[in-house]
Amino acid sequence: MTQDVSDKKDEFDPQDFLPYLLNRAAEESSLEFQQVYKDRYGMLRTEWRVLFHLGNYGEMTAKEIGLRARIHKTKISRSVSKLEERRFLVRSRDDADRRVERLALTSAGQAAYRDLRKVAQAYDAKLAGLFSEEETDLLRKMLRRLAHMD
Amino acid sequence: MTQDVSDKKDEFDPQDFLPYLLNRAAEESSLEFQQVYKDRYGMLRTEWRVLFHLGNYGEMTAKEIGLRARIHKTKISRSVSKLEERRFLVRSRDDADRRVERLALTSAGQAAYRDLRKVAQAYDAKLAGLFSEEETDLLRKMLRRLAHMD
DNA sequence: CCTTGTTAGTTACAAAATCAACTATTATCC
DNA sequence: GGATAATAGTTGATTTTGTAACTAACAAGG
């Protein structure tokens, strides 16, 4: 055993490694949109994600955002502080459980959310345009599966 | 104008935003394999990528790795130093152009590469197993397209 | 009630990524 | 040939992330 003279039959090209491809595609496809929330609002990625979760689902707690978006609580905490400084959201203590903070976008936050959502939508359409509609649908389905979002 | 009473017709769920899905899928699918090169060899992701490029393509320069893998030169530089410390690669000055360093895996580096490639292959098969063969092929093709790797 | 455990969120410190400036070498072109 | 620019790679300062320990509030069992 272990004479293993030939790695030939293996034929596994690490370039095809799904996590690698996924990372490359994710980075590449994030770049262009990243410029928008960075240049236009000075936001970091996590801040944009928090904003988008609040814009999309309405009032939430930091915990809930973390669970949904799979973001660690320290990142959320810092993002919430930044968004608060910039007057994009306000916090309010939950009277029933005073450990909890309910987070809600201000109207400035909502405006930023709508603006960025519009850009995101257009950008998404551009990416989707690389493929047929069926292919794109399948892609999203597969990505959700890989991300355990289904 | 701008009376814009209804955002209804928009119907764009940021959860479907391709860069978001790609990032979530990339992070999720990287986790398990990350544990392996981290626990088994104490490597960082960039170090693993450099290793895998050298293992896959043979001798290369830092520049070439950076271009192929889209990694910034400072990250490469530091990864190469770490891999050199751990005796996974050796550098040699190119006599034709003495700015350039040719990088090559040592036999220890090659062994690590082969080991990790085996794990990667098995993990890739596991991920691919979530879908049909045609779907997986299409997925890879689409990801390469999104990553501008085609 | 009052110890023990759990949960939401923050903070401090270490590790890593990013960005800019730097060294050394080669290429350009007057 | 000698100034100027370009290139390969490194280093240092700043920013961001990750890890762990922390505070404050609640929960449960005795």
Side-chain angles (χ1 to χ4, degrees):
Chain A
M1 288 95 224
T2 69
Q3 33 186 338
D4 188 10
V5 189
S6 62
D7 285 300
K8 307 160 204 161
K9 198 66 199 59
D10 260 304
E11 292 309 339
F12 175 65
D13 183 353
Q15 290 280 359
D16 290 336
F17 188 36
L18 277 170
Y20 178 66
L21 286 175
L22 285 161
N23 271 289
R24 292 279 313 259
E27 276 166 37
E28 206 59 49
S29 74
S30 293
L31 270 181
E32 200 171 325
F33 183 61
Q34 190 161 70
Q35 284 315 108
V36 180
Y37 58 69
K38 199 178 153 196
D39 294 352
R40 208 177 283 187
Y41 297 99
M43 279 187 207
L44 252 31
R45 191 198 319 210
T46 307
E47 292 160 29
W48 148 245
R49 286 209 191 166
V50 168
L51 184 86
F52 121 21
H53 273 77
L54 289 171
N56 199 38
Y57 298 111
E59 218 172 274
M60 293 179 88
T61 69
K63 183 86 197 294
E64 286 164 348
I65 297 174
L67 285 175
R68 270 211 210 252
R70 286 219 163 222
I71 304 175
H72 195 271
K73 60 181 182 173
T74 61
K75 267 163 109 182
I76 306 246
S77 174
R78 294 192 257 248
S79 296
V80 166
S81 297
K82 282 252 180 77
L83 290 170
E84 189 187 32
E85 275 174 34
R86 285 162 197 167
R87 310 278 182 248
F88 280 169
L89 64 75
V90 288
R91 322 184 194 218
S92 55
R93 283 280 162 208
D94 183 354
D95 284 321
D97 182 345
R98 301 182 26 70
R99 289 169 301 185
V100 172
E101 284 183 342
R102 312 233 99 245
L103 305 171
L105 294 185
T106 61
S107 54
Q110 284 172 23
Y113 167 70
R114 281 194 301 269
D115 178 39
L116 288 172
R117 191 186 56 180
K118 201 169 298 176
V119 177
Q121 180 168 23
Y123 184 50
D124 191 79
K126 180 178 155 191
L127 293 176
L130 292 170
F131 314 108
S132 77
E133 215 166 303
E134 299 73 40
E135 287 173 331
T136 306
D137 287 348
L138 179 62
L139 176 62
R140 284 193 231 270
K141 221 179 70 187
M142 295 176 90
L143 293 175
R144 270 193 291 272
R145 183 79 155 283
L146 287 165
H148 309 129
M149 288 170 75
D150 53 1
Chain B
M1 290 95 224
T2 70
Q3 33 185 338
D4 188 11
V5 190
S6 61
D7 284 300
K8 307 159 204 160
K9 199 63 200 61
D10 261 304
E11 291 311 338
F12 174 65
D13 183 353
Q15 290 280 359
D16 290 336
F17 187 37
L18 278 170
Y20 179 66
L21 286 174
L22 285 162
N23 271 289
R24 291 279 312 259
E27 276 167 36
E28 205 60 49
S29 73
S30 293
L31 270 181
E32 200 170 326
F33 183 62
Q34 191 161 70
Q35 282 317 109
V36 180
Y37 58 71
K38 198 178 152 195
D39 295 352
R40 207 176 284 187
Y41 298 98
M43 279 188 207
L44 252 29
R45 188 188 334 201
T46 307
E47 291 160 29
W48 148 244
R49 286 208 191 167
V50 168
L51 184 86
F52 120 22
H53 273 76
L54 289 172
N56 199 37
Y57 297 112
E59 219 172 273
M60 293 179 88
T61 70
K63 183 88 198 294
E64 286 165 346
I65 297 175
L67 285 176
R68 269 210 211 253
R70 286 220 163 223
I71 304 174
H72 193 271
K73 60 180 182 173
T74 61
K75 268 162 106 180
I76 306 244
S77 175
R78 286 171 175 131
S79 296
V80 166
S81 297
K82 281 252 180 76
L83 290 169
E84 188 187 33
E85 275 174 34
R86 284 162 198 168
R87 312 278 181 244
F88 280 169
L89 63 76
V90 289
R91 323 184 193 216
S92 54
R93 282 279 163 208
D94 183 354
D95 284 319
D97 181 346
R98 300 182 25 71
R99 289 169 301 185
V100 172
E101 285 183 341
R102 312 232 99 246
L103 306 171
L105 293 185
T106 61
S107 55
Q110 283 173 23
Y113 167 71
R114 280 194 301 270
D115 177 39
L116 289 173
R117 192 186 57 178
K118 201 169 297 177
V119 177
Q121 179 168 23
Y123 185 49
D124 191 79
K126 180 177 154 190
L127 292 177
L130 293 171
F131 314 107
S132 77
E133 214 165 304
E134 299 74 38
E135 287 173 331
T136 305
D137 287 348
L138 179 61
L139 176 62
R140 283 193 231 270
K141 222 179 69 188
M142 295 176 90
L143 292 175
R144 270 193 292 271
R145 184 80 155 284
L146 287 165
H148 308 130
M149 290 170 72
D150 52 1

